[in-house]
Amino acid sequence: MLLFDEPLSNLDAQLRTEMRIEVRQLQQALGLTAIYVTHDQEEALAISDRIAVLRHGKIEQVDTPERIYRMPQTAFVAEFLGSTNMVPGIAGAFDGRNTPVAAAGTEFTVRGEVAALGAPVLLSVRPEALQLRDGSGDSLVHARLALREFLGPVQRLHATLPDGTQIRISALGGQALDLLPGAPLTLAYDPAQITAYPAP
């Protein structure tokens, strides 16, 4: 068994990316079990078969990288692993397929029966789950652009929902390049990609 304790933390970004590939290939080629401690969430997702998220010395969740990112069991795991928007809301009536949640001056639709009618919840909405749209349709929310960060292949948009709640959106390629602060945004999402947790 190999034990790693943040072995790449002192390397620059490009070398760290190259070395994590080397570590992963070496581990697979030799067929060794490795325990790898890191605070770099991207590194953990890239090289792991299973991830354990610790909180105050206790395991919060253990799962595959895909499941722990897409189906975090707690709000802490959702916030800790990757970037997410945590939006407080109040659950509406389950219609047999989805639950409407009144949140941030608008309404989100969440797949499944997530809470009892009137229960306070926290919605986890990943930035990449929100897609820019220019028309009408189902599962839409409206916001206004506050700030745009150009990051090369991805742009990070900071926007405000109707009640002023700030959210982040990941836009690919050349989307939103001509948008200025204050521009209205129509955002589409898949209800299955939103996770609801009981409010603390």
Side-chain angles (χ1 to χ4, degrees), residues 119-136:
V121 296
L122 271 179
L123 300 181
S124 171
V125 186
R126 297 281 189 197
E128 67 272 15
L130 297 167
Q131 305 294 320
L132 292 174
R133 291 289 184 270
D134 56 8
S136 60

Side-chain angles (χ1 to χ4, degrees), residues 66-128:
E66 293 82 2
R67 286 182 57 83
I68 209 166
Y69 184 82
R70 297 185 182 280
M71 291 175 275
Q73 293 175 353
T74 66
F76 174 81
V77 174
E79 285 191 283
F80 181 79
L81 202 65
S83 175
T84 193
N85 299 294
M86 299 301 290
V87 183
I90 301 296
F94 177 58
D95 66 6
R97 179 175 172 79
N98 299 313
T99 301
V101 175
T106 186
E107 184 176 277
F108 286 87
T109 301
V110 185
R111 185 64 43 81
E113 187 173 11
V114 300
L117 176 64
V121 296
L122 271 179
L123 300 181
S124 171
V125 186
R126 297 281 189 197
E128 67 272 15

Side-chain angles (χ1 to χ4, degrees), residues 97-175:
R97 179 175 172 79
N98 299 313
T99 301
V101 175
T106 186
E107 184 176 277
F108 286 87
T109 301
V110 185
R111 185 64 43 81
E113 187 173 11
V114 300
L117 176 64
V121 296
L122 271 179
L123 300 181
S124 171
V125 186
R126 297 281 189 197
E128 67 272 15
L130 297 167
Q131 305 294 320
L132 292 174
R133 291 289 184 270
D134 56 8
S136 60
D138 296 328
S139 302
L140 299 175
V141 293
H142 299 281
R144 288 201 173 271
L145 181 64
L147 177 71
R148 181 175 61 83
E149 294 179 278
F150 179 74
L151 305 175
V154 177
Q155 293 185 80
R156 183 180 295 125
L157 307 180
H158 299 260
T160 54
L161 292 171
D163 76 341
T165 297
Q166 292 269 334
I167 59 168
R168 297 178 306 278
I169 304 119
S170 292
L172 294 175
Q175 286 186 309

Side-chain angles (χ1 to χ4, degrees), residues 2-141:
L2 296 177
L3 303 178
F4 295 96
D5 186 3
E6 302 199 64
L8 310 181
S9 60
N10 291 325
L11 302 179
D12 64 49
Q14 183 62 35
L15 185 56
R16 190 163 61 241
T17 300
E18 293 172 3
M19 287 305 300
R20 79 183 185 205
I21 295 171
E22 291 291 332
V23 169
R24 178 65 166 162
Q25 289 177 334
L26 182 62
Q27 179 266 328
Q28 289 183 326
L30 296 177
L32 296 174
T33 297
I35 297 177
Y36 193 106
V37 178
T38 181
H39 285 86
D40 185 323
Q41 291 95 341
E42 184 177 292
E43 191 172 276
L45 291 168
I47 68 171
S48 300
D49 294 303
R50 292 179 69 76
I51 295 175
V53 177
L54 300 177
R55 183 185 190 190
H56 303 307
K58 295 183 179 179
I59 294 176
E60 190 90 357
Q61 184 175 348
V62 179
D63 219 322
T64 64
E66 293 82 2
R67 286 182 57 83
I68 209 166
Y69 184 82
R70 297 185 182 280
M71 291 175 275
Q73 293 175 353
T74 66
F76 174 81
V77 174
E79 285 191 283
F80 181 79
L81 202 65
S83 175
T84 193
N85 299 294
M86 299 301 290
V87 183
I90 301 296
F94 177 58
D95 66 6
R97 179 175 172 79
N98 299 313
T99 301
V101 175
T106 186
E107 184 176 277
F108 286 87
T109 301
V110 185
R111 185 64 43 81
E113 187 173 11
V114 300
L117 176 64
V121 296
L122 271 179
L123 300 181
S124 171
V125 186
R126 297 281 189 197
E128 67 272 15
L130 297 167
Q131 305 294 320
L132 292 174
R133 291 289 184 270
D134 56 8
S136 60
D138 296 328
S139 302
L140 299 175
V141 293

